[in-house]
Amino acid sequence: MNNNKKVQSVAIPEKAYELYDKYAHGMITRRDFLTAVGGLAIGTATAASILGSLLPNYALAEQVSFNDPDIMATYQTFPSPEGHGEGRGYLVKPAKSVAKLPAVLVIHENRGLNPYIEDVARRLAKAGFIAFAPDALWPLGGYPGNDDDGRQMQRSIDSQKIIADLKAAAKWLNKLEGTTGKLGVVGFCFGGAMTGLLAAELPDVVDAGVPFYGSPPPADKIADIKAPLLVQLGELDERVNARWPEAEALLQQHNKTFTVHRYPDSHHGFHNDSTARYNKEMAELAWQRTLAFFRQHLG
């Protein structure tokens, strides 16, 4: 099923992807995951080796180097008076542009600003956008360097304050010197859900949204959305996909502009090139569609 030969070194049973999704989202413990997967192991694979293949290896998630001469990357703080007072994130700009450029807010998964998300921001800068990826864990010192601790940290923070920080980041980026005042938002998993939420709660700020395998916006907020949406879903991601038919019906009912793509043979997290869930062919297709969508709607 999975097309990524770079990170998958053991045979991974299909059921293990579903179990890992539950583990990654705090529905089961690591011990529960290992116990359940132990009964599914194929050949010489063990529960530990299956988990090792599914956990991210961020050394693999660098398509654009942090010292690429075509970009400039810095960490910047922004005010968040309704959140934690101050936020911080990763700002990446094309190095040589003299014209104003559209901006894209990049929202991470449920574990903080990890190296994969930073690389997504660099990819956007290479494509000609000003990208900013805020770290929801900044109030606790920032992404801790591993996803298990990052997930626990993010669960410990008031979710409403996280949302307030993300909204503050969007407003700050939209007004940043050198931007055109056109703002796109792209997010993954938790960040995908936040992409739709920001489109609904900041309709005069967000000009285009691309949620990757995130829950749809709350039903009572869909009518407020003005921005076009490009929804990117993995065909095998049953947990998230089950939530979208109702949202699609409401988007149609309210005459919203949206497109939903469901990518064949693709799991939750199929764009993340640091794990065995990565589907190279579908991830590249989804990314090219994302760039084309932002160019169309942001200019």
Side-chain angles (χ1 to χ4, degrees):
M1 283 283 194
N2 192 289
N3 295 332
N4 182 33
K5 305 300 183 183
K6 181 174 63 172
V7 298
Q8 183 172 332
S9 58
V10 299
I12 299 178
E14 197 65 27
K15 182 68 174 178
Y17 290 101
E18 177 186 337
L19 291 166
Y20 181 79
D21 184 61
K22 292 181 177 179
Y23 163 61
H25 292 89
M27 300 174 191
I28 60 175
T29 66
R30 178 184 283 243
R31 177 178 293 181
D32 291 338
F33 172 85
L34 291 171
T35 299
V37 168
L40 304 173
I42 298 173
T44 59
T46 64
S49 65
I50 291 171
L51 178 59
S53 289
L54 287 167
L55 288 171
N57 178 354
Y58 288 127
L60 301 174
E62 186 177 89
Q63 294 188 21
V64 180
S65 172
F66 69 92
N67 59 7
D68 188 301
D70 292 336
I71 63 169
M72 296 186 300
T74 59
Y75 292 94
Q76 300 289 335
T77 59
F78 58 90
S80 181
E82 297 181 10
H84 289 95
E86 180 183 79
R88 183 178 185 260
Y90 187 60
L91 180 68
V92 195
K93 302 178 180 180
K96 298 177 182 178
S97 177
V98 294
K100 290 187 175 183
L101 298 171
V104 178
L105 188 74
V106 184
I107 307 180
H108 58 67
E109 307 128 315
N110 64 336
R111 64 212 67 169
L113 180 58
N114 60 44
Y116 155 66
I117 296 297
E118 291 189 341
D119 194 65
V120 170
R122 293 194 293 270
R123 296 174 208 175
L124 283 162
K126 283 280 284 189
F129 299 94
I130 294 175
F132 184 64
D135 188 352
L137 303 186
W138 176 241
L140 299 181
Y143 176 70
N146 71 85
D147 282 14
D148 277 350
D149 289 344
R151 277 190 289 267
Q152 292 178 8
M153 289 170 66
Q154 190 156 325
R155 284 197 297 267
S156 75
I157 302 176
D158 183 330
S159 61
Q160 293 306 306
K161 285 199 171 186
I162 290 178
I163 292 170
D165 288 343
L166 294 174
K167 290 166 72 173
K171 294 175 183 177
W172 174 83
L173 180 58
N174 194 43
K175 300 293 186 182
L176 188 68
E177 183 178 357
T179 66
T180 60
K182 288 286 189 178
L183 179 71
V185 183
V186 62
F188 304 86
C189 184
F190 161 80
M194 292 298 100
T195 298
L197 185 65
L198 263 60
E201 296 196 349
L202 298 176
D204 296 322
V205 176
V206 177
D207 295 294
V210 184
F212 274 77
Y213 34 81
S215 299
D220 61 352
K221 294 182 180 292
I222 284 177
D224 298 327
I225 295 173
K226 294 181 181 178
L229 299 178
L230 177 66
V231 183
Q232 314 273 39
L233 302 175
E235 180 185 59
L236 304 177
D237 187 4
E238 295 180 2
R239 178 181 61 85
V240 170
N241 292 353
R243 303 176 184 179
W244 271 97
E246 179 183 355
E248 290 178 65
L250 287 171
L251 287 164
Q252 290 177 337
Q253 177 184 325
H254 293 292
N255 297 312
K256 303 303 177 182
T257 301
F258 73 100
T259 301
V260 179
H261 292 293
R262 291 176 173 84
Y263 292 89
D265 293 340
S266 297
H267 292 275
H268 186 89
F270 73 89
H271 184 265
N272 187 333
D273 54 355
S274 70
T275 86
R277 296 179 296 168
Y278 178 53
N279 184 326
K280 185 176 188 294
E281 180 183 359
M282 295 297 102
E284 290 179 353
L285 174 59
W287 188 244
Q288 291 307 311
R289 285 173 169 167
T290 297
L291 295 179
F293 182 79
F294 283 146
R295 287 170 179 144
Q296 176 186 355
H297 294 289
L298 304 181

